[in-house]
Amino acid sequence: MTEDISVAGTDAVDQAPPTRRDQPGMVSAEWAVGIIAAIAIAGVLLGIVTSGSVHDALLKFILMVIHSFSGFLQ
């Protein structure tokens, strides 16, 4: 008679969940995707801001703010 203590059909050993060290390339890939998404959003915003009507509205707003604060400098 052998002394086999394993139980057939059950998980006798608890397996630990995978850690970040098990996936060494994932952190780099996540950073790359995040950077590409940020650049894409910045490009879209730059295109919107530099369009004619938005550019004129922003310029008027900035000049209004400068004009309103110029009274405090005197």
Side-chain angles (χ1 to χ4, degrees), residues 27-66:
V27 174
S28 299
E30 291 166 1
W31 272 99
V33 170
I35 290 171
I36 290 172
I39 291 171
I41 291 170
V44 169
L45 289 175
L46 182 64
I48 291 171
V49 169
T50 56
S51 68
S53 60
V54 176
H55 183 267
D56 293 339
L58 283 174
L59 183 60
K60 286 180 185 179
F61 175 73
I62 291 170
L63 290 175
M64 181 189 70
V65 169
I66 291 171

Side-chain angles (χ1 to χ4, degrees), residues 2-13:
T2 62
E3 295 184 20
D4 187 13
I5 59 171
S6 64
V7 178
T10 63
D11 292 331
V13 177

